[in-house]
Amino acid sequence: MGAAQINGLRSVELGVHDLKASRPFYEEFLGLDVVKHGKRSMLLRKGQYWALVALETGDLFKSVVSIANHWGIDLATKEEVDRAHKLAHEHKARFGIRKIGTVQDNHGTYGFYLQDVDGNWWEMQYAGEGQGTGDVDALSLPP
């Protein structure tokens, strides 16, 4: 069987309880751009074609409570990871951040996890020099 001929990843959905409450976290804390906004959804991305669609589900929303199912955000340096960790603590109440993990070397990356207002988990990480170039051999990933 041959694989489907796809052109690339375009989007994935992220459930949120309330777009108005979630939007500041995405724009102001994560630095994502809201490139399109609908009545119950917003299209988020950062300088690439691939996007994250935040879909408001209201009381029907059920977050994935496992940290194993998380969104990864690549940061440019270890210092940026430390800075993001400090900012998460400083602005925890403002953005409704539920939990903030400790910064550590984990599975070959340097980073930490945090849980947003909707219960979604995010990994803020520095994965090595190859993370922005597509050079998978330069990434610090586990075997």
Side-chain angles (χ1 to χ4, degrees), residues 3-137:
Q5 297 299 309
I6 63 171
N7 291 328
L9 295 175
R10 183 183 67 84
S11 65
V12 65
E13 270 186 27
L14 170 70
V16 301
H17 183 266
D18 179 348
L19 284 178
K20 186 176 180 181
S22 302
R23 186 172 178 166
F25 174 77
Y26 300 126
E27 285 185 304
E28 298 172 33
F29 184 78
L30 293 181
L32 298 174
D33 300 316
V34 175
V35 295
K36 190 171 186 180
H37 198 282
K39 185 176 179 180
R40 291 184 43 238
S41 64
M42 49 185 176
L43 188 66
L44 307 159
R45 71 175 171 217
K46 189 65 178 179
Q48 299 174 2
Y49 177 74
W50 190 90
L52 181 63
V53 178
L55 179 65
E56 183 176 276
T57 58
D59 292 335
L60 299 174
F61 177 73
K62 299 282 189 260
S63 69
V64 178
V65 294
S66 171
I67 198 169
N69 187 352
H70 62 271
W71 300 93
I73 301 288
D74 286 340
L75 299 173
T77 64
K78 288 183 176 184
E79 292 76 20
E80 282 298 310
V81 171
D82 293 334
R83 181 175 174 272
H85 190 257
K86 180 181 177 195
L87 289 170
H89 281 286
E90 289 175 6
H91 299 286
K92 184 177 181 180
R94 176 180 173 198
F95 295 117
I97 297 170
R98 294 182 184 183
K99 296 179 183 176
I100 304 167
T102 58
V103 176
Q104 56 188 336
D105 287 304
N106 189 22
H107 60 73
T109 66
Y110 180 78
F112 69 98
Y113 294 94
L114 64 84
Q115 190 178 37
D116 70 19
V117 67
D118 295 301
N120 298 303
W121 284 98
W122 297 84
E123 181 179 17
M124 310 296 285
Q125 68 177 12
Y126 172 69
E129 295 301 320
Q131 69 183 8
T133 65
D135 181 3
V136 293
D137 292 329

